Amino acid sequence: MPARLLRDLWQRWRRYKYRFVPWIALNLSHNPRTLRYVPEESKDKILPDEEVLGPLLKLFRALFLNDFDRHSDILAVLPEPVKKKYQDLLAVQQQRVKLLDNRLRQQQQQRIFKPEEVLYKTLGFSIARATSSLISAGKGVFVTKGFVPKGTVVSMYPGTVYQNYEPVFFQSIGNPFIFRCLDGVLVDGNDKGISKVVYRSCNGRDRLGPLKMSDSTWLTSEMSNPLAIGQYVNNCSNDKAANVCYQEFDVPAVFPVELMQYLPNVAYSSNKQSPLRCVVLVALRDIKQGEELFSNYYTIVS
C-alpha cells in the first residue's frame, strides 16, 4: 500500500512540476528545448488576430449549421439579416445534396454529424484525447485524422479566465491546468472539482435568454467544440520537440453573438470592461495524422 501511494504521488508530481515555479527556475538550463522564447515586442503573436479569428468562425458556423434545427429559439431573437444568412448557407448545403439520389439525400438531411466530423470536414483534421506517448504523462492530444499545416489553429485552451487581481488560490491547489498569460491573466482549464463548479456558475450567470455566452460542454464527454481540449496537450521534452505553441487572443466585440456558445472560456468577473481572453494552440510545423501535440509550458520574455 505505501509503495502504491508513493507511486501515485510521484506520477502526480511528474505532471504538476511544470507548473511549480521553483522547480521551473532550477531546471530551465537543463532542458533548453522545452523553453518558449517570446520577444517582448511580438506580444506572443505567431499569427495575426484575423488569422486566428477566421478558422474559429468557419468552424463555429459549420457547427451551428450542423445542428441548425435545434437553434430555433436562438434564430427567433437574431436580426433578420443574420437569420437570412444562415438560411441561405443551409440552402447551399442542401443544394449540394440534391446531386444524390432521393433515398441517400433523405438520410443525409436527417443526419447530424459529430463535432469531430464537422471539424474534419471544415478544417481538414480532427483531434482527440488519448493516452500520451510520454511515460506517466496521463492523457495527451493527438491528430486522429487528416493533416495540420504549419500556422494552423489546432486547439483551444478552455477554462475560467481570471484577471491578475482576482482570487484563484483555492482553485490552484494541486491544479496542473492553470495557464498564465504574458500579462498575468490566468486561464483555469481544470474540468474537475472546484474549478468545474466555478466555470459552470459563471457560464450560467452570463446567459441571456436562449443565447449562451460560452460553452460548458468541454466539462462533459459530449463536447460541442471539438477544439476545446488544449489543456491536455503535454509539455515537450528533449526527445519530443514542441510542434504547437500557445497564442493569446482577445475575442473582438464584433464576434457573432449566436456563435459565442462555442467559446470554451468564461470570465470569472461579470465586469465586461475587458474583452474575453482565449488561448489557442498554433502548429509550429506540419503535423501528420497519428502525431501527438507537444507545447512549451515555460515562457521567457526576451
Side-chain angles (χ1 to χ4, degrees):
M1 188 66 178
R4 182 178 178 181
L5 178 61
L6 289 173
R7 185 169 62 252
D8 290 344
L9 289 173
W10 174 247
Q11 290 178 350
R12 286 176 176 270
W13 166 247
R14 291 192 62 167
R15 292 193 294 267
Y16 179 68
K17 64 185 179 182
Y18 300 111
R19 309 289 186 175
F20 186 58
V21 174
W23 185 90
I24 293 173
L26 290 173
N27 286 273
L28 283 178
S29 60
H30 301 303
N31 295 280
R33 294 186 67 186
T34 66
L35 303 180
R36 179 168 71 118
Y37 290 95
V38 176
E40 187 173 8
E41 64 273 11
S42 80
K43 302 300 182 184
D44 198 22
K45 299 294 184 183
I46 305 298
L47 297 177
D49 283 350
E50 57 269 21
E51 293 185 23
V52 173
L53 179 61
L56 295 183
L57 289 178
K58 185 178 181 181
L59 173 63
F60 293 173
R61 286 192 180 110
L63 291 168
F64 189 86
L65 286 172
N66 182 61
D67 207 13
F68 193 77
D69 291 341
R70 298 184 186 178
H71 293 315
S72 57
D73 53 345
I74 295 177
L75 291 169
V77 300
L78 293 179
E80 198 60 37
V82 178
K83 190 186 306 182
K84 186 177 185 304
K85 176 188 69 175
Y86 285 109
Q87 290 169 340
D88 290 345
L89 286 172
L90 188 63
V92 170
Q93 281 191 356
Q94 291 174 342
Q95 186 67 30
R96 292 173 183 166
V97 176
K98 287 182 180 179
L99 298 174
L100 305 172
D101 62 65
N102 290 334
R103 181 178 56 81
L104 186 57
R105 182 170 72 246
Q106 185 179 17
Q107 292 175 351
Q108 186 80 3
Q109 288 177 335
Q110 290 176 349
R111 181 183 178 190
I112 296 178
F113 292 103
K114 294 181 179 178
E116 57 269 25
E117 294 175 318
V118 177
L119 174 60
Y120 175 71
K121 291 175 179 293
T122 306
L123 300 184
F125 66 89
S126 59
I127 58 174
R129 285 174 290 187
T131 302
S132 175
S133 60
L134 296 177
I135 298 175
S136 302
K139 294 290 186 181
V141 177
F142 292 80
V143 176
T144 54
K145 191 175 181 181
F147 173 78
V148 181
K150 178 180 178 180
T152 299
V153 175
V154 68
S155 188
M156 301 184 73
Y157 198 106
T160 306
V161 180
Y162 294 85
Q163 300 300 317
N164 51 17
Y165 54 83
E166 291 176 332
V168 72
F169 174 77
F170 289 107
Q171 297 92 312
S172 68
I173 297 175
N175 184 353
F177 294 111
I178 292 183
F179 179 89
R180 185 184 186 278
C181 298
L182 295 178
D183 58 359
V185 170
L186 301 175
V187 182
D188 181 6
N190 197 350
D191 55 7
K192 297 178 178 63
I194 188 173
S195 298
K196 180 177 181 178
V197 173
V198 170
Y199 188 95
R200 285 193 180 280
S201 175
C202 295
N203 173 262
R205 173 202 66 199
D206 292 347
R207 181 166 179 159
L208 298 175
L211 296 173
K212 297 179 182 178
M213 297 294 102
S214 58
D215 172 34
S216 63
T217 63
W218 65 273
L219 296 168
T220 73
S221 59
E222 300 294 330
M223 297 173 56
S224 295
N225 178 358
L227 292 180
I229 53 176
Q231 79 276 37
Y232 282 98
V233 173
N234 281 305
N235 189 47
C236 62
S237 66
N238 288 332
D239 297 325
K240 304 277 189 178
N243 53 16
V244 297
C245 185
Y246 299 106
Q247 177 165 326
E248 298 159 24
F249 171 74
D250 289 335
V251 178
V254 295
F255 196 90
V257 67
E258 70 276 9
L259 301 182
M260 295 191 74
Q261 61 178 301
Y262 301 110
L263 290 172
N265 298 95
V266 65
Y268 175 75
S269 172
S270 58
N271 182 359
K272 300 301 180 183
Q273 292 180 354
S274 301
L276 178 65
R277 174 66 51 84
C278 289
V279 177
V280 299
L281 288 92
V282 179
L284 294 172
R285 60 167 176 80
D286 294 346
I287 306 174
K288 300 177 182 179
Q289 179 175 319
E291 287 193 71
E292 183 174 359
L293 304 184
F294 292 104
S295 62
N296 295 105
Y297 285 174
Y298 311 145
T299 301
I300 295 180
V301 180
S302 56

